[in-house]
Amino acid sequence: MPVVSETELSRRRADILEGARRCFAEHGYEGATVRRLEKATGKSRGAIFHHFSDKENLFLTLAREDAARQAELVAEEGLVEVMRDILHHPERHDWLATRLEISKMLRTDAQFRARWHEHQEVLDRAVSERLARLGADGRMRTDVTPDVLHIYLETFLDGLITRLASGGSTKGLEQVLDLVEGTVRRRS
């Protein structure tokens, strides 16, 4: 049996993730069957599960990658900029339409919930660190704690994702994001 290079294995893994992202976006978590994942990735079941032990691990890998990418943006520009990115570049985030299914799984499946939160920790940490840094610089409001601001922004992000996933209008959302950003800033 020929030996496959690490570069080739990495390329195959990336191809699987790209196809799986499209499949989850189109069919949702439950609808992304193994057969559909095979078709979307162009890889066999064996190849997919060689890299990812099961569908949940594949899905959570996408969640971890997105959380890491979003954490980088949060560190530089804040969570509102992540929301703007979701609004202006839906193609980068279209698989987040599965968020409604994720909400159900978070509520009903304790193991999934623990694994999801583990993968989202990088984003939570980035938001907390940025809010603390801006608070120390005097740029955030001081009448509520950074934890409350974090919950507020996270709640709005969840609502934004749900609105976009359900086909809601994007009209006026840019101004709504300006409003959200203004509510967390320190008033002069």
Side-chain angles (χ1 to χ4, degrees), residues 3 9 23-24 36 51 61 75 101 105 112-114 132 145 159 169:
V3 176
L9 285 174
C23 188
F24 286 125
R36 284 179 172 158
H51 293 278
T61 298
E101 289 176 275
M105 292 167 64
F112 181 83
R113 182 174 46 250
T145 67
S169 172

Side-chain angles (χ1 to χ4, degrees), residues 100-115:
L100 302 177
E101 289 176 275
I102 293 168
S103 295
K104 178 184 173 201
M105 292 167 64
L106 291 172
R107 187 174 41 83
T108 60
D109 185 336
Q111 284 184 313
F112 181 83
R113 182 174 46 250
R115 294 180 71 202

